[in-house]
Amino acid sequence: MSTSPSLSAAAPLVPPHACASRMGALLLEAGKISPEQLEQVAGMQQELGMRFGAAAVCLGLASEADIAQALARQFDYPYVRRGEAALAPQLVAAYQPFGPQAEALRAVRSELMLRWFARGHRALALVGADPGDGVSLFAANLALVFAQLGAPSVLVEANLRNPRQHQLFGIKARAGLSDILAGRAGLEVVAPIPDFPGLSVLLAGTLPPNPQELLSRDSCALLGAELERRYQVVLYELPPFARGVDALAVAGRAGGVLLVARKHHTRLASVSRMAAQLALAGAEVVGSVVVEF
């Protein structure tokens, strides 16, 4: 890690990031330390041969959490701390990326990469059998871990009956998928997530009286093709299978579907029926997950 060169009294003032490590520049950019503190830390780093982060903690100018977050940004692994973003606290991939739940999400991501996306596919639908199966929350967390992988990703909220993603991501209600399919909006309504570069969310939009008909239109297939052209990973959150057959059209066009069941809630028979009907619609069941949240 680079160190700050010494400056003579007559030397011209240079921007702090020009004489500090990348870690120092990130802490400065985040407002964790001041320019004066940056030079103080850089001096200690150079004098004692310490890492910049260790020197900052030793001087009491930054916390271990500050250093961990800056290190994550240094390696393009974004996450946020509580109170620093509008994201819902249930998004463990955003707030607790090193915990066991996030590790389980990354394991699912790895399996999907091997079983599905490595085969050239870009779209995957997520669906549960019944309301309360946890699909919305799982889809949001899965989208986050794909973004943390560095793959440009978009989460499409194709649940036009009971949408939740605006609450989870802290996005104000706006036009979305239904408005695009009805010809009332374009892709400008896709919302990028500021704290997670590469991740965008297409909300459900205006709740329509005819969700099944909207999702069955040719415009839905055209939209899907355009999203696959723009993003490496396109995740569709589908409505509960028990609430109608909206899921069939989208899952068939996505090509693959991941079944989501909730522990002590979802019945095995319901999952079996859902898998059989999705297969008849032309969707490949890539796998299944059991969630506990």
Side-chain angles (χ1 to χ4, degrees):
M1 188 170 293
S2 62
T3 59
S4 170
S6 60
L7 296 175
S8 66
L13 185 64
V14 297
H17 62 267
C19 61
S21 66
R22 174 64 175 156
M23 174 69 72
L26 288 169
L27 290 171
L28 182 66
E29 180 185 342
K32 301 301 181 182
I33 60 175
S34 67
E36 293 77 15
Q37 291 171 334
L38 185 147
E39 293 195 10
Q40 183 182 357
V41 176
M44 183 177 185
Q45 175 194 17
Q46 185 176 36
E47 181 180 353
L48 300 180
M50 302 174 68
R51 292 183 180 274
F52 190 95
V57 172
C58 185
L59 289 169
L61 300 176
S63 67
E64 294 285 358
D66 293 332
I67 302 306
Q69 190 169 37
L71 188 63
R73 292 182 60 198
Q74 194 172 5
F75 284 89
D76 295 322
Y77 188 71
Y79 73 96
V80 294
R81 289 188 289 177
R82 295 189 187 280
E84 295 183 346
L87 306 179
Q90 299 96 321
L91 296 181
V92 294
Y95 291 111
Q96 300 168 352
F98 310 115
Q101 286 183 305
E103 186 63 33
L105 286 162
R106 287 193 290 272
V108 173
R109 179 189 68 190
S110 297
E111 288 291 326
L112 291 174
M113 291 296 293
L114 290 171
R115 295 187 186 185
W116 188 247
F117 293 105
R119 292 162 51 191
H121 301 290
R122 293 202 168 197
L124 179 70
L126 312 176
V127 64
D130 303 299
D133 279 348
V135 177
S136 296
L137 186 54
F138 176 76
N141 276 293
L142 187 64
L144 284 165
V145 295
F146 269 109
Q148 288 168 334
L149 185 65
S153 307
V154 61
L155 173 59
V156 181
E157 188 175 33
N159 182 350
L160 304 184
R161 296 176 182 269
N162 185 28
R164 284 191 61 206
Q165 296 300 337
H166 64 288
Q167 298 172 341
L168 294 174
F169 283 98
I171 305 172
K172 292 184 179 180
R174 58 192 291 168
L177 175 62
S178 65
D179 302 279
I180 294 177
L181 298 181
R184 300 168 54 193
L187 285 174
E188 72 279 354
V189 300
V190 177
I193 305 303
D195 296 297
F196 290 85
L199 176 60
S200 298
V201 176
L202 177 56
L203 296 178
T206 306
L207 295 187
N210 56 337
Q212 181 182 342
E213 287 76 14
L214 275 181
L215 295 172
S216 299
R217 289 183 179 180
D218 290 340
S219 56
C220 189
L222 294 174
L223 172 62
E226 179 59 23
L227 291 175
E228 289 180 44
R229 188 183 69 81
R230 297 188 180 202
Y231 299 92
Q232 290 183 17
V233 175
V234 181
L235 299 177
Y236 291 93
E237 179 210 339
L238 304 185
F241 208 79
R243 288 287 175 88
V245 294
D246 307 11
L248 291 176
V250 180
R253 285 170 173 158
V257 61
L258 180 67
L259 308 182
V260 181
R262 185 177 175 187
K263 189 175 182 180
H264 303 313
H265 182 273
T266 308
R267 295 181 178 276
L268 182 59
S270 299
V271 175
S272 298
R273 286 194 299 269
M274 177 174 61
Q277 292 186 50
L278 287 166
L280 289 174
E284 179 180 340
V285 177
V286 180
S288 61
V289 295
V290 177
V291 299
E292 296 188 50
F293 44 71

